[in-house]
Amino acid sequence: MVARLFSVYVFFHALLAGCGNPRSDHGEGVRATDDYTVTQIGKIDKQEMAESSGLALADAAGTTFWTHGDAGSPNNLYLVNRSGALLRTLPVAGTSNTDWEDLARDPATNRLFIGDFGNNRNARRDLRIFALDAQAPTSRVDTIQFAYPDQHEFPPAKAFRNFDCEAFYFDRGTLHLFTKNRGKGGLFVRHYTLPARPGTYTATRVDSLELETWVTAADISPDRRSVALLGYGFIYLFKGNPDQPVLDRKRHRINISTTGQAEALTFLDNDRLLLSNENGKLFEISPK
């Protein structure tokens, strides 16, 4: 019943959002596009993993993927194929799943980054990212600890709670994080960066932008010309020169209202994406 009500919410949310452009403080405005098809290609068995909260490629061909569960799930990575069949379970030693929300990958080394930075109440002081080589038989797990430069209360007043995060990606030695605004003043996503190496850091705030939806996952295309932000009912593609600030790029909005509560995505190549929803369904998003 809850899933059905959420699907109705996403449908009307997408319908209403299509009636006008969002207010923003950057860029050239959003362009809605119907040039993509949304196809369900598989489903992860919920008995194997309760909820798919992050996705990352496990091979260059795009045939297998790493994923993980949400808050309170076992501290495991799961290797699945395009149909959702479980191929391997990898315990991430020495960690706990406080609130794992997204996966990022270094394409040059296949090193994975697990974002344990879910922060619904904006009260966490132990935000962290785990890094490991998932292909190695035994791999040391490194930790990146961080804080936001503009958070001074834990939690802040409700109107100022924009320190939850469910989305990030790796690009040339840097991790790019995007927040989920639970405060007031519109759905402004904030963009922060961190070094992709072990240590304790204060994140760098880069920019902010108002969208129609919370952001639940992010990834960058292999050619670095497209950044995808996943939301409820939409994928936003920020396209442009790789050296151009992400939120300043031209924005294209893809309607994915048929996918339910989408929680994770990864680029398959420069044009196609794979996403999963909270029920473990896998969808391919492809140009027509």
Side-chain angles (χ1 to χ4, degrees):
M1 181 64 178
V2 172
R4 200 172 302 165
L5 288 173
F6 184 83
S7 297
V8 172
Y9 160 77
V10 168
F11 172 79
F12 283 105
H13 181 62
L15 184 66
L16 291 172
C19 297
N21 291 337
R23 291 182 299 106
S24 69
D25 53 358
H26 291 85
E28 300 178 25
V30 67
R31 299 180 181 181
T33 177
D34 295 322
D35 295 335
Y36 289 81
T37 59
V38 180
T39 307
Q40 184 179 342
I41 62 171
K43 188 174 189 293
I44 303 168
D45 189 339
K46 293 197 75 170
Q47 292 186 342
E48 303 284 359
M49 186 182 64
E51 179 178 339
S52 175
S53 187
L55 276 177
L57 289 179
D59 65 88
T63 59
T64 56
F65 314 90
W66 291 106
T67 186
H68 60 74
D70 207 337
S73 299
N75 57 325
N76 296 332
L77 291 176
Y78 302 92
L79 185 67
V80 300
N81 62 17
R82 288 172 58 87
S83 68
L86 179 64
L87 306 177
R88 180 187 175 194
T89 299
L90 175 65
V92 184
T95 70
S96 60
N97 186 340
T98 302
D99 197 353
W100 293 8
E101 287 292 357
D102 203 5
L103 275 175
R105 170 178 170 267
D106 178 351
T109 65
N110 274 324
R111 192 164 174 80
L112 291 179
F113 299 87
I114 305 169
D116 187 5
F117 42 44
N119 191 16
N120 289 1
R121 293 187 57 250
N122 283 229
R124 286 186 65 179
R125 296 175 182 264
D126 61 343
L127 302 171
R128 57 196 180 178
I129 295 165
F130 302 117
L132 72 155
D133 180 359
Q135 305 295 344
T138 59
S139 177
R140 185 182 73 183
V141 179
D142 293 319
T143 303
I144 300 166
Q145 298 177 313
F146 72 96
Y148 295 106
D150 39 359
Q151 181 171 14
H152 308 293
E153 296 179 317
F154 300 85
K158 288 185 178 180
F160 303 104
R161 294 184 183 180
N162 199 354
F163 302 103
D164 187 15
C165 182
E166 295 188 7
F168 78 141
Y169 65 82
F170 171 95
D171 183 35
R172 295 192 301 179
T174 299
L175 296 170
H176 295 255
L177 286 66
F178 299 87
T179 63
K180 186 176 185 179
N181 185 8
R182 296 181 178 276
K184 294 183 179 179
L187 297 178
F188 275 91
V189 57
R190 290 178 182 169
H191 177 197
Y192 295 87
T193 58
L194 286 168
R197 58 181 183 271
T200 300
Y201 303 99
T202 298
T204 298
R205 181 169 168 176
V206 179
D207 218 341
S208 64
L209 180 70
E210 185 176 26
L211 300 175
E212 294 108 324
T213 178
W214 279 339
V215 173
T216 60
D219 200 17
I220 188 170
S221 61
D223 65 5
R224 303 180 54 245
R225 299 189 65 85
S226 297
V227 170
L229 298 185
L230 175 65
Y232 296 145
F234 301 110
I235 294 174
Y236 284 92
L237 291 180
F238 293 79
K239 295 186 175 184
N241 187 303
D243 296 323
Q244 185 180 8
V246 173
L247 298 182
D248 278 345
R249 301 182 191 182
K250 291 182 180 179
R251 302 194 301 281
H252 302 261
R253 186 183 66 216
I254 304 171
N255 187 323
I256 56 164
S257 58
T258 58
T259 64
Q261 186 171 334
E263 294 288 346
L265 95 166
T266 185
F267 273 97
L268 296 170
D269 52 37
N270 290 327
D271 301 308
R272 297 178 302 135
L273 296 118
L274 181 79
L275 67 83
S276 62
N277 69 13
E278 67 169 356
N279 293 317
K281 292 182 179 179
L282 296 170
F283 298 85
E284 183 174 313
I285 315 299
S286 304
K288 291 181 179 177

